Each structure stands twice: as structure tokens, then as C-alpha cells.
Amino acid sequence: MKKPLIHLSIYKTESSKVTSYCVNKLGLKNIFELNDKFEGKSYLDKTLKNYLVNKLLSRYLNPNFKPSTEKLIKTDFSKFFKENKLDVLVTEDIVAVMNNNSNDVIIHVNLDSLKVSLYSHDFQILNKLKKMELYA
């Protein structure tokens, strides 16, 4: 089994901030309304996934920089990889991680356990990533 090059997990209280952001953004009164809407649940999942990936990248690329929750939610990490000519796959399927040999970077996100891991066949990818700027 492949080992992640870097990984991160967050606490439920931190994910609650993302949930609150989504409730406010969609103009809902509470989390129950968010769960009642199919778009609400998918929006929350997408937002939480984006938050986790950005949190992992910001923690690794610049540990002294503490971006706000809103900045972590709104930053488009895929643009970061495209600008640096890296092919990235973000998936919730661990089998896709194990069977993938084509992407430069594979990011596995587990929304249930609030964990995210970065995999790559290029062990120098971390050095390359450290030279790049996520928040320009």
C-alpha cells in the first residue's frame, strides 16, 4: 500500500465552521435545512473537500501563515496545480489512489473522518510544491 507524503486531519469543531459558512452562504436558518436540500449537502461536501485540501497545502507550504477559514474555503487549489503544470486528481476513492500511475499528485479526501492525504510517484514533489505560492 502506498504511504501518503503528507496528511492532515481536522477536528469536528473546525468542520462546524465550514458548515456554518455553507448555511449562511445559502441563506438557510440551520443545518437541518442544509441537510434537507440535495444541493445543500453536495455544496457542503464540495466546500469541505476544498477546505481540507487548502488546509493541507497551506499547512505544508507555509506553516507560519494562518489563513482564515473563509480564505481556505474560497481559494481554488486546482488553479494552483494548473499554473504549476501539475496534473492533480482529488478523490474520495482509495482504490483510485492505489491504482493511479498517471497523475503527478493524488489527493485523497475522507469527509467522514475529516482527513486528507497527498500522494505522488515523484518523491521530489514536496520540494517542488514548497517553491510555489498558493496564495498569490
Side-chain angles (χ1 to χ4, degrees):
M1 182 168 190
K2 293 181 183 178
K3 287 188 176 183
L5 298 178
I6 53 175
H7 59 90
L8 172 81
S9 62
I10 63 169
Y11 293 109
K12 187 72 175 163
T13 53
E14 198 170 346
S15 74
S16 296
K17 293 177 186 177
V18 176
T19 303
S20 295
Y21 174 87
C22 291
V23 167
N24 292 335
K25 181 79 173 175
L26 296 174
L28 304 174
K29 295 177 185 162
N30 57 44
I31 190 171
F32 302 111
E33 288 182 4
L34 183 69
N35 289 332
D36 288 343
K37 298 175 78 171
F38 175 74
E39 319 80 50
K41 180 66 176 143
S42 63
Y43 179 71
L44 173 61
D45 289 348
K46 181 180 142 213
T47 304
L48 186 56
K49 187 184 297 186
N50 195 56
Y51 176 83
L52 282 166
V53 173
N54 282 321
K55 179 88 176 194
L56 174 76
L57 292 173
S58 68
R59 173 94 32 103
Y60 182 75
L61 298 178
N62 191 351
N64 297 325
F65 180 61
K66 306 288 186 220
S68 67
T69 301
E70 189 170 342
K71 185 158 187 91
L72 289 170
I73 289 171
K74 290 183 175 182
T75 300
D76 182 8
F77 66 84
S78 61
K79 184 178 164 187
F80 165 75
F81 286 105
K82 283 178 190 170
E83 288 173 353
N84 291 292
K85 296 176 179 65
L86 293 171
D87 187 28
V88 65
L89 170 69
V90 179
T91 183
E92 293 180 48
D93 181 14
I94 193 67
V95 175
V97 173
M98 298 305 134
N99 294 334
N100 189 307
N101 291 320
S102 59
N103 298 89
D104 296 318
V105 177
I106 305 133
I107 299 175
H108 177 252
V109 179
N110 187 327
L111 296 177
D112 293 328
S113 64
L114 302 174
K115 293 182 180 182
V116 60
S117 304
L118 184 141
Y119 297 84
S120 181
H121 303 291
D122 180 2
F123 294 108
Q124 296 301 315
I125 198 76
L126 296 178
N127 293 331
K128 293 175 188 174
L129 289 174
K130 277 196 167 187
K131 294 176 185 170
M132 303 172 191
E133 287 199 32
L134 178 61
Y135 303 105

